[in-house]
Amino acid sequence: MTAIVCFWLLLWQLLSMIIKNQIFFASPISVAAELAQLCVQKEFWITVFYSLMRILLGFFVAFLLAFLLSLLSHRYALVQDVMKPFLTVIQSVPVASVVVLLLIWFGSETLSVYVTFMVVFPIIYTNMLT
């Protein structure tokens, strides 16, 4: 495991040295240094906490809805038929393209809730239904 981590860190460092542009491809050393500086700031941890809370909110809402809708879909074929187009769209549309629309519609504050929901919901729904 350590050898694998060292391999990827070395590859990362080599690519950074080849690209020679810290804005486009920062080195692992500069990333570690910046992270060390951020870790001592209170605002950093507040941001991490709120980001984690929004991600967990998206996960739990997706889990709850997927669980309930999968139960209903199992019981009623009509619900499953209604859900099929939604699942097809949510699974086939690239998340990156939806992120742009979500940023326009809702702003960056709640973006992680919606993106987490989009990723988690179809997985939980289809697995619970199966």
Side-chain angles (χ1 to χ4, degrees), residues 68-80 129:
L68 293 173
L69 287 170
S70 67
L71 288 176
L72 288 171
S73 294
H74 180 71
R75 174 95 176 161
Y76 304 104
L78 178 63
V79 176
Q80 187 173 358
L129 187 58

Side-chain angles (χ1 to χ4, degrees), residues 47-86:
T47 302
V48 168
F49 173 77
Y50 283 116
S51 294
L52 181 60
M53 290 299 106
R54 286 190 289 269
I55 290 167
L56 288 173
L57 175 64
F59 179 86
F60 287 124
V61 169
F63 183 85
L64 181 65
L65 279 175
F67 179 76
L68 293 173
L69 287 170
S70 67
L71 288 176
L72 288 171
S73 294
H74 180 71
R75 174 95 176 161
Y76 304 104
L78 178 63
V79 176
Q80 187 173 358
D81 292 340
V82 169
M83 290 301 298
K84 277 183 187 176
F86 173 70

Side-chain angles (χ1 to χ4, degrees), residues 21-41:
N21 189 328
Q22 290 294 308
I23 293 174
F24 290 124
F25 203 88
S27 71
I29 296 166
S30 63
V31 169
E34 187 65 29
L35 183 60
Q37 288 179 357
L38 288 172
C39 283
V40 297
Q41 296 178 9

Side-chain angles (χ1 to χ4, degrees), residues 92-114:
S92 61
V93 174
V95 175
S97 62
V98 175
V99 166
V100 175
L101 288 174
L102 291 173
L103 278 170
I104 293 168
W105 292 340
F106 303 110
S108 63
E109 194 70 21
T110 57
L111 179 66
S112 55
V113 175
Y114 297 113

